[in-house]
Amino acid sequence: MDLKSEINTSKLPKHLAIIMDGNGRWAKQKGMMRAFGHENGTKAVRQVVEGCAELGIENLTLYAFSTENWNRPKLEVQTLMKLLVSSLKKEIKTLQDNNIKLMAIGCLNELPAKAHKELLEVMEKTKNNSRMVLTLALSYGSREEIINTLKKISIKVKNNIISPENIDESVINEHLYTQNLHDVDLLIRTSGEQRISNFLLWQIAYAELYFTNVLWPDFTKQHLYEAIIEYQKRERRFGKTSEQIN
Ligand code: IPE
Ligand code: IPE
Ligand code: MG
């Protein structure tokens, strides 16, 4: 049975974030190189992007490469960067056809020049699309983002543009890479690992966490629906009592 019909479209997460993990183990299980896992991971990306757009989710953020991932073997990093360029070239049409705007968060100028350029081009071409914002976290680390935010705010304080008393949550939100995105409502991590790995620490303050053993290349629309159905069963209390909510 198609799980999609069980989803209540009036109670969707506004912002879904995914830690796409398990490509390496997926390949190893098949006796293949890690690169084979990453290549197949792109199929799951397409499933999830399409699935979210069809449902009407406003923001989808995918953790594609962390600041810590730069410490992987050079060849694996190169493979991932090449895959980024080829995927951007291949998927621009899908983004346009589905009215999806591409954004990116992270230390983008640390990306290889070719990848950076391709990324900026696709972002520019899709900037007026309005159905969904797809954000790629690339060379992203939440602590780096917070440091960067502090620097930007400090400069404004120094130049008397912001006074310290006026620093509140909205000021911080405006200076994070994620600026106009909603707070994360649902965070999915695949592959059985149950950790955050330096992803969106500020933005997941009240997110519902969902962990699945499915390895990323095996993740399909049906798995996405399962996660959303589980999310919709949870009671989000935000510090209140259950009686106050109902
Ligand atoms: C996720 O899969 C992709 C990236 C982190 C780029 P991994 O490459 O981390 O796969 P495992 O965790 O080794 O199985
Ligand atoms: C987190 O996955 C980063 C991405 C999915 C891009 P990792 O596989 O790098 O995470 P750790 O280091 O095992 O926590
Ligand atoms: Mg991993």
Side-chain angles (χ1 to χ4, degrees), residues 2-90:
D2 190 2
L3 291 168
K4 194 177 178 186
S5 58
E6 289 180 32
I7 294 177
N8 176 351
T9 47
S10 65
K11 257 183 73 182
L12 289 170
K14 283 196 170 120
H15 187 172
L16 168 63
I18 306 182
I19 303 177
M20 312 183 286
D21 200 10
N23 293 352
R25 278 163 283 166
W26 184 88
K28 197 172 173 192
Q29 280 179 1
K30 297 191 155 37
M32 303 294 282
M33 307 278 282
R34 293 178 60 83
F36 185 65
H38 296 313
E39 282 160 22
N40 280 275
T42 62
K43 293 180 191 158
V45 171
R46 175 179 279 171
Q47 288 265 318
V48 161
V49 170
E50 272 183 15
C52 287
E54 287 162 4
L55 283 172
I57 288 177
E58 292 176 34
N59 302 157
L60 171 65
T61 301
L62 302 176
Y63 203 5
F65 194 87
S66 72
T67 46
E68 290 76 21
N69 287 150
W70 290 114
N71 299 319
R72 290 193 178 192
K74 210 172 164 186
L75 194 64
E76 179 163 348
V77 172
Q78 276 174 1
T79 303
L80 284 165
M81 293 302 149
K82 274 192 203 149
L83 206 55
L84 171 64
V85 175
S86 60
S87 302
L88 286 167
K89 282 195 202 297
K90 210 162 89 190

Side-chain angles (χ1 to χ4, degrees), residues 5-220:
S5 58
E6 289 180 32
I7 294 177
N8 176 351
T9 47
S10 65
K11 257 183 73 182
L12 289 170
K14 283 196 170 120
H15 187 172
L16 168 63
I18 306 182
I19 303 177
M20 312 183 286
D21 200 10
N23 293 352
R25 278 163 283 166
W26 184 88
K28 197 172 173 192
Q29 280 179 1
K30 297 191 155 37
M32 303 294 282
M33 307 278 282
R34 293 178 60 83
F36 185 65
H38 296 313
E39 282 160 22
N40 280 275
T42 62
K43 293 180 191 158
V45 171
R46 175 179 279 171
Q47 288 265 318
V48 161
V49 170
E50 272 183 15
C52 287
E54 287 162 4
L55 283 172
I57 288 177
E58 292 176 34
N59 302 157
L60 171 65
T61 301
L62 302 176
Y63 203 5
F65 194 87
S66 72
T67 46
E68 290 76 21
N69 287 150
W70 290 114
N71 299 319
R72 290 193 178 192
K74 210 172 164 186
L75 194 64
E76 179 163 348
V77 172
Q78 276 174 1
T79 303
L80 284 165
M81 293 302 149
K82 274 192 203 149
L83 206 55
L84 171 64
V85 175
S86 60
S87 302
L88 286 167
K89 282 195 202 297
K90 210 162 89 190
E91 300 303 334
I92 171 85
K93 190 172 178 317
T94 318
L95 297 178
Q96 297 293 36
D97 290 350
N98 289 285
N99 193 14
I100 297 168
K101 173 177 172 168
L102 185 78
M103 287 205 353
I105 54 174
C107 267
L108 305 182
N109 46 23
E110 281 180 17
L111 297 173
K114 209 171 161 190
H116 194 187
K117 181 171 163 271
E118 194 65 39
L119 185 66
L120 294 182
E121 272 178 31
V122 177
M123 283 163 62
E124 174 63 27
K125 282 184 189 152
T126 61
K127 70 177 182 200
N128 295 321
N129 292 351
S130 56
R131 186 179 181 193
M132 180 173 88
V133 178
L134 166 64
T135 304
L136 299 180
L138 286 164
S139 188
Y140 175 88
S142 188
R143 288 188 168 181
E144 191 283 322
E145 177 183 39
I146 291 171
I147 292 168
N148 183 279
T149 300
L150 280 175
K151 285 184 183 161
K152 284 190 275 193
I153 296 175
S154 304
I155 292 170
K156 290 193 183 170
V157 168
K158 191 175 152 201
N159 294 331
N160 295 317
I161 298 167
I162 298 177
S163 81
E165 307 81 71
N166 291 336
I167 297 175
D168 58 10
E169 286 191 18
S170 67
V171 170
I172 297 193
N173 280 329
E174 282 159 23
H175 292 83
L176 288 166
Y177 294 136
T178 45
Q179 292 192 20
N180 301 319
L181 300 179
H182 298 286
D183 275 349
V184 176
D185 295 303
L186 173 60
L187 173 70
I188 298 176
R189 183 168 189 151
T190 57
S191 87
E193 308 298 354
Q194 302 195 359
R195 53 177 177 262
I196 303 300
S197 303
N198 202 12
F199 191 42
L200 303 174
L201 299 177
W202 168 275
Q203 297 87 340
I204 61 166
Y206 252 113
E208 294 297 328
L209 308 181
Y210 180 88
F211 300 105
T212 168
N213 289 330
V214 176
L215 300 173
W216 180 249
D218 287 331
F219 199 85
T220 61

